[in-house]
Amino acid sequence: MALIGAKKYWILGVITPVIIASDQFTKAVVVERFRLAESLPVVDGFFNLTYIRNTGAAFGFLAGADPAFRVPFFLIVPVLALLAIGSIFRKISPDDRIMSVALSLVIGGAIGNLIDRVQIGYVIDFLLFHWKSEYYFPAFNVADSAICVGVGMMILDMLLKGKESEAQSHVSGPA
């Protein structure tokens, strides 16, 4: 019985460390093999590996802010977010695999980027998608990818559960 209730914690215990390790490993490889701002085309005109130091948040948000504000902000906010996500995780059903995976991805990504901020004061980004040389999507990393996929899964799960609930209320009729 105890193992059934622990399913979500097994998911957390597997996915989160894999995301953190993958994120930190890929960043270490980029730092070791690239000079800052060096770019290697992988798919010409579409995708490059490019070493970027991001002092801001997602997509460089607040990168130009005063360091006296930016540095504490980017250390405190992720910790508060992790505490909130941990609280949500504890409240989900023990058998809710989709939400367990989604939250584990977000937690792993948040920890991966927080490690960078604590150790070096910025986040290493290196995945750069673009259309020819005209339109560039902001660079990102494995941690950012995990966060985006996790949030996407949460939104999709909530939408699907809302549709199921709505369908069930139509089947059962008015109260």
Side-chain angles (χ1 to χ4, degrees), residues 16-153:
T16 300
V18 166
I19 294 299
I20 295 167
S22 300
D23 178 64
Q24 293 298 300
F25 174 76
T26 55
K27 290 172 180 175
V29 168
V30 167
V31 169
E32 179 183 308
R33 299 194 179 178
F34 286 77
R35 291 181 315 276
L36 183 61
E38 181 180 357
S39 190
L40 172 68
V42 177
V43 178
D44 198 34
F46 182 70
F47 173 61
N48 294 13
L49 294 176
T50 305
Y51 177 15
I52 296 172
R53 293 178 181 169
N54 182 357
T55 57
F59 313 124
F61 176 70
L62 293 178
D66 181 356
F69 165 77
R70 188 183 69 236
V71 172
F73 179 83
F74 286 128
L75 294 176
I76 294 168
V77 169
V79 171
L80 294 176
L82 283 166
L83 291 171
I85 294 165
S87 175
I88 293 167
F89 188 88
R90 280 195 322 255
K91 293 176 184 174
I92 64 173
S93 165
D95 297 321
D96 191 341
R97 283 185 243 148
I98 292 174
M99 195 59 78
S100 297
V101 169
L103 290 170
S104 297
L105 288 167
V106 173
I107 290 168
I111 292 171
N113 281 339
L114 183 60
I115 289 169
D116 283 13
R117 291 196 189 285
V118 168
Q119 288 183 342
I120 55 179
Y122 52 84
V123 172
I124 296 165
D125 288 330
F126 57 91
L127 301 169
L128 183 62
F129 286 87
H130 56 94
W131 181 249
K132 302 189 180 187
S133 293
E134 298 176 38
Y135 305 101
Y136 283 82
F137 188 79
F140 58 98
N141 57 44
V142 171
D144 298 332
S145 300
I147 292 168
C148 289
V149 169
V151 169
M153 287 177 68

